[in-house]
Amino acid sequence: MSNDNIILTTKDFTILEVLRDRHHDQTGLLMPLIRNKMEKAIVVFREDLPGNIASINSRVRFRVAAGESDTRVISTGQTHGPVGMFLPITTLRGLALLGLREGQAMSLVNMNGVTEKIVLEKVEYQPEASRREREALGQEELTAGRKPMLRVISGGLDGHRCMSSFVAGGFDDPGPSAA
């Protein structure tokens, strides 16, 4: 495992705490990595997270050993999306990438007992950085102050009759052929 700093948001750190307390690690490989991340973590508010750090819901490009680059979204494992799009932190690789800085690597022992080096090449999207950009552009205030376009009125049709007429064969609508 790497001696480099791990940077986590308060939210990501809390999720790791819950994972540590509730997860049943059948392999015995995940818990040491969770503890290592939590012990070495520098915990920051989401506003203070540098844009080149992998956080939960970040889309990252990474490489394992000398293999091909792969792009995934780091998730909590509770997402229901296309297979191959997400990399849950309940997996060794997903957990290893969490909190790394672009260019930073971490070595871990995989399920086969082989040590592999995983490198975070690029953080392609980070929700915290995206939020800061929206706030800087003033878009956050626009979306927060916007009123919904649809207003539901309870009992809106009470006392009103439906204006369609019926004939013996169904609705009194000649259909598209009448046009």
Side-chain angles (χ1 to χ4, degrees):
M1 288 186 219
S2 170
N3 289 327
D4 294 335
N5 289 332
I6 305 297
I7 302 175
L8 299 172
T9 64
T10 53
K11 174 185 161 194
D12 293 352
F13 188 85
T14 301
I15 290 171
L16 286 184
E17 283 181 317
V18 170
L19 192 60
R20 178 198 64 200
D21 294 342
R22 295 186 183 168
H23 190 69
H24 303 292
D25 186 12
Q26 286 85 14
T27 65
L29 299 173
L30 208 55
M31 281 305 142
L33 188 53
I34 291 172
R35 287 189 194 102
N36 181 50
K37 290 269 180 182
M38 293 177 68
E39 288 170 6
K40 293 183 179 182
I42 297 170
V43 181
V44 298
F45 292 113
R46 68 179 175 198
E47 297 84 18
D48 300 325
L49 186 68
N52 63 347
I53 303 292
S55 63
I56 292 177
N57 295 322
S58 291
R59 185 174 57 247
V60 297
R61 187 175 70 232
F62 65 97
R63 178 176 33 81
V64 177
E68 299 275 327
S69 291
D70 196 0
T71 302
R72 302 282 178 97
V73 175
I74 297 175
S75 70
T76 58
Q78 300 172 355
T79 55
H80 304 288
V83 174
M85 183 176 180
F86 297 100
L87 186 59
I89 60 169
T90 53
T91 65
L92 289 170
R93 290 180 180 176
L95 183 58
L97 288 168
L98 183 65
L100 294 185
R101 179 181 309 275
E102 289 178 358
Q104 192 174 359
M106 178 172 270
S107 295
L108 57 101
V109 178
N110 67 19
M111 303 289 276
N112 299 324
V114 176
T115 301
E116 61 183 30
K117 181 179 174 184
I118 188 165
V119 179
L120 177 62
E121 294 180 335
K122 179 86 175 140
V123 177
E124 296 180 350
Y125 170 82
Q126 183 201 73
E128 294 81 5
S130 178
R131 179 184 175 103
R132 284 192 299 269
E133 289 171 11
R134 285 192 316 268
E135 286 174 353
L137 294 173
Q139 292 178 350
E140 197 69 28
E141 294 169 8
L142 291 175
T143 57
R146 196 179 291 166
K147 291 188 176 187
M149 296 178 68
L150 176 66
R151 196 168 110 192
V152 178
I153 300 173
S154 178
L157 290 177
D158 290 349
H160 296 287
R161 303 181 95 182
C162 189
M163 300 302 286
S164 40
S165 59
F166 292 95
V167 293
F171 286 101
D172 188 19
D173 180 9
S177 62

